[in-house]
Structure formats: C-alpha cells, structure tokens
C-alpha cells in the first residue's frame, strides 16, 4: 500500500504521543501498525521517508535571503525525533534552529502553549513573531496568541507575503 494509505489507516492516537516523546519508536510502530500489517518493518518505512524528504522548490533561496538579513528562524514543529532524519538529509540548520520541536517541548500545535512557550523562551512578545505553517488550524491558533500567521501555499506566495 502507499505511504499515504498506510498513514491514513494507522492508529491516530499514537502519533501525537510519539511526537511528544511519550513513547519510543518501537512502541509507536507496534501500537500504530500492528492491526494493519504486523510484519511492517519500521526501519524500511523510515528509510522510505528519508529517501523522499526534499526541500520544497523555491524555499532554499528564500531561507538564504532571510538568513542573510539575519532573521532568526526556528522550527516550531510537530515531529518526533525523526526530525533528526530531516536535518541529516537537508541540513536545515543552515537556516534555522530545531529548538521548538514537539518531541523536545512535549507540546503539539495547535495547543496555544506551542506558540507562547517559544516566545517566552526567546524573550519576545508573540506579536513580534511570524509563524508559517501549511495547516489553517495551526495558523488560526498562532493568531489567537497574537502572532502574525501565514498559511503556506508555496514558496512564491510566501516570498510575496514576507517581502512586500
């Protein structure tokens, strides 16, 4: 089955716990996929995901421009420790800090603490922050805290919003 179909059929309660680092990778695979395919090899699944990670077209020049302008950027991401695979492959730390990933903070978007916690840690007001995400629910929550939120719909649209 396709990766999309596999993830659509997984146990949806385990992913948030895995993202908050409340369960190990082994526990996640066991709990999420045992009823779908008990023979699922988690290492193969991770390798397949790793192989498909890529930077979205047009994002690297945008991130480069922001970095050149010394704009501080942080990953505020719902992700388990697998974010390390993304870093290994794409080296996004050239542009941003992986400081606010849910597996480190124990909080997932759209929980308002996902936005207020990073602002407090950085010693800034949420009104001083710009949040970019591809999910409306996450952007709406960020706006509730006072952040400017941009719903990502492609590199060119984001560039236009950031550099008016």
């Amino acid at each position: 089955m396709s990766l999309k179909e596999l993830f659509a059929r997984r146990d949806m309660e385990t992913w948030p716990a895995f993202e908050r680092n409340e369960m190990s990778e082994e526990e996640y695979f066991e709990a999420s996929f045992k009823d779908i395919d008990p023979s699922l090899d988690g290492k193969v699944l991770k390798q397949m995901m790793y192989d498909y990670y890529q930077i979205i077209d047009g994002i690297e020049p945008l991130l480069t421009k922001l970095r050149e302008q010394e704009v501080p950027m942080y990953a505020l991401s719902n992700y388990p420790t697998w974010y390390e695979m993304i870093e290994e492959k794409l080296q996004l730390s050239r542009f941003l800090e992986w400081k606010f990933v849910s597996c480190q903070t124990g909080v997932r978007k759209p929980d308002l603490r996902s936005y207020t916690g990073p602002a407090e840690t950085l010693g800034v007001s949420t009104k001083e922050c710009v949040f970019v995400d591809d999910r409306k629910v996450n952007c709406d929550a960020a706006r509730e805290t006072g952040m400017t939120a941009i719903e990502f719909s492609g590199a060119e649209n984001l560039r236009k919003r950031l550099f008016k």
Side-chain angles (χ1 to χ4, degrees):
M1 76 180 67
S2 72
L3 186 61
K4 184 176 181 178
E5 182 183 3
L6 177 68
F7 280 148
R9 293 179 56 196
R10 72 180 173 205
D11 176 353
M12 296 306 290
E13 297 301 314
T14 56
W15 181 251
F18 183 41
E19 283 186 332
R20 289 187 305 264
N21 208 24
E22 296 168 358
M23 64 173 32
S24 70
E25 182 177 294
E26 295 77 23
E27 291 169 323
Y28 170 69
F29 283 127
E30 172 67 23
S32 293
F33 301 106
K34 68 178 179 210
D35 294 335
I36 301 168
D37 183 354
S39 67
L40 179 87
D41 186 334
K43 288 183 174 139
V44 171
L45 176 63
K46 278 181 61 178
Q47 183 63 50
M48 186 170 82
M49 291 171 61
Y50 179 90
D51 291 344
Y52 281 95
Y53 281 125
Q54 62 184 356
I55 295 178
I56 296 170
D57 287 340
I59 288 296
E60 195 160 357
L62 179 57
L63 292 174
T64 299
K65 183 174 183 176
L66 290 166
R67 177 54 68 204
E68 288 170 351
Q69 293 183 1
E70 298 182 1
V71 174
M73 293 178 280
Y74 302 89
L76 198 157
S77 180
N78 288 349
Y79 228 73
T81 57
W82 292 352
Y83 82 90
E84 294 166 346
M85 289 190 314
I86 298 169
E87 173 58 26
E88 179 183 314
K89 182 163 185 186
L90 305 178
Q91 301 293 300
L92 294 178
S93 61
R94 296 173 288 154
F95 309 109
L96 56 84
E97 290 185 48
W98 291 99
K99 196 166 185 163
F100 304 110
V101 182
S102 59
C103 67
Q104 298 169 343
T105 65
V107 183
R108 294 178 74 246
K109 300 173 290 183
D111 184 318
L112 298 183
R113 294 173 299 165
S114 293
Y115 313 96
T116 58
E120 288 171 13
T121 298
L122 297 170
V124 299
S125 162
T126 54
K127 291 177 175 39
E128 297 174 73
C129 301
V130 176
F131 174 76
V132 179
D133 197 278
D134 63 345
R135 297 190 61 217
K136 182 181 184 321
V137 66
N138 294 337
C139 289
D140 289 346
R143 287 184 194 103
E144 280 185 51
T145 71
M147 285 186 179
T148 297
I150 300 172
E151 191 171 344
F152 182 80
S153 61
E156 184 58 25
N157 288 335
L158 180 57
R159 186 191 63 71
K160 287 177 183 176
R161 292 283 310 270
L162 293 174
F163 300 100
K164 294 180 182 180

